[in-house]
């Protein structure tokens, strides 16, 4: 088969985080697929067809992109951040596993990108400076009990936590419940970072504590970092504090 | 103060993963600091001074870069991957916390990059497609017991694991011990990925199982991903299998 599917990570919403490899994959594509909100970030090019889709249709979107590649086209499926972190790369693998045998012969390339937690962390210092976990709070595809068990295990063992998909209209209570649960493991003074739409014009980054953290301060575009007991603040005159987790990372051990 | 320190993530060893933001920070720098092996990846520019240092001197390197910025210079401190993940951003924050008060007024910017686990994951599919932890196996700065406790907690709760700093001449047995411990939690068939020097000419990526995983196959340039019980292989004719963790990620629950 001559078709090719590139699953392209655009990085968070700032073109200065788009890698040259991703840029080339976008330029070479004959057809672009992706959630409409992400596809809007890719400037139109002559001769390229564009196939925006709804946010929720991950499997359908993956199958449509694979079917287009199977006709011999060069296809790019775009995602925000990194395609391998709570994004389309896993959906594409799943579609290949359960799809027509011919899809297993396609040239499929995942193009990595800067994932949201790295961009949020960079804005405030180095909160992910030591061992950390990335966890989706969405219970659309896994039971809430599994999420609670993972929050307990990660916080109890001293990992910093990056929380993806913290809240949505259909999942309004999960983040508050997560903060409540984490307060059982961690001091109230533990630094918490809310990073909303980082790299976009409506970026908003807030540093607070676990005691003060309130789920109403988050929305669907927010990535949350909850420190470990080792995470520290460095106060700075006329500048926001630095938040970092020392490489030794041992206050909680 | 007019000085500026940019802590720049070069990404893994392929210039196609260097972001435009990092490129600008390197171009604007009057002085470049970094481990010699990483600094070698930055092409020389006229008018820039270069200050390579040894691999182990993280605090000294951070302080030297900060001291240079405090003289009013534009300084770039380069790291591989992302500066916030087991790299120099935390060392810089630590140096600021314990350094002269004037350093707290410096303009310090962390420039995010593609960290190794994202590049390795992209090479094989989407092994980090669901909840995962990043863990350093180095017991230089934390007790080995803490690492064991974190391996237990993460694997026991169904997280995929990305293992940084798996092995070195001074730490020869830790990775083997980690595999042994993980075999108590996970089936022998659990996919394990060894990603060595990804993006460099001497890149070597190997997919194996937890049962077969052998520490001698890793070196200092290797990043290891250990799947969860939910991680799957998709066989492909004439191509390496895809490794992915479904977004539902629930086989281990």
């Amino acid at each position: 088969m001559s078709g090719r599917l590139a699953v392209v990570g655009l990085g968070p919403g700032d073109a200065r985080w788009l890698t040259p490899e991703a840029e080339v994959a976008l330029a070479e594509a004959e057809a672009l697929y992706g959630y409409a909100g992400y596809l809007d970030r890719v400037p139109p090019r002559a001769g390229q067809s564009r196939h925006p889709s709804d946010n929720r249709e991950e499997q359908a979107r993956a199958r449509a992109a694979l079917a287009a590649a199977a006709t011999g086209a060069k296809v790019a499926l775009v995602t925000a951040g990194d395609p391998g972190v709570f994004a389309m790369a896993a959906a594409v693998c799943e579609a290949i596993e359960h799809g027509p045998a011919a899809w297993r012969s396609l040239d499929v390339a995942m193009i990595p990108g800067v994932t949201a937690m790295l961009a949020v962390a960079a804005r405030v210092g180095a909160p992910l400076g030591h061992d950390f976990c990335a966890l989706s709070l969405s219970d659309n595809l896994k039971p809430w009990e599994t999420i609670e068990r993972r929050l307990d295990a990660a916080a109890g063992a001293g990992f910093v936590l990056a929380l993806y998909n913290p809240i949505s209209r259909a999942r309004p209570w999960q983040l508050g419940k997560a903060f409540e649960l984490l307060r059982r493991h961690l001091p109230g003074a533990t630094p918490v970072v809310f990073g909303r739409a980082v790299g976009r014009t409506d970026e908003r980054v807030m540093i607070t504590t676990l005691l003060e953290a309130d789920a109403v301060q988050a929305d669907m575009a927010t990535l949350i970092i909850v420190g470990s007991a080792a995470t520290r603040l460095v106060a700075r005159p006329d500048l926001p504090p630095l938040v970092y987790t020392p490489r030794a990372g041992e206050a909680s051990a």
Side-chain angles (χ1 to χ4, degrees), chain A residues 146-226:
Chain A
T146 300
I147 297 173
E148 288 207 343
R149 194 160 54 91
R150 291 183 183 166
L151 287 166
D152 275 330
F159 287 98
V160 172
L161 277 159
L163 304 178
Y164 282 74
N165 307 318
I167 203 161
S168 74
R169 226 166 294 176
R171 296 180 291 101
W173 56 263
Q174 285 82 345
L175 178 59
K177 185 85 184 162
F179 285 141
E180 198 179 296
L181 193 151
L182 292 172
R183 287 186 195 110
R184 290 186 221 151
H185 294 281
L186 294 164
T190 303
V192 173
V193 181
F194 286 66
R196 186 187 175 282
V198 168
R200 298 189 340 215
T201 52
D202 52 343
E203 169 174 329
R204 197 176 63 229
V205 176
M206 191 186 68
I207 298 168
T208 183
T209 64
L210 185 54
L211 188 67
E212 303 282 342
D214 187 341
V216 301
Q217 294 156 318
D219 66 9
M220 279 180 63
T222 307
L223 181 289
I224 292 163
I225 297 177
V226 181

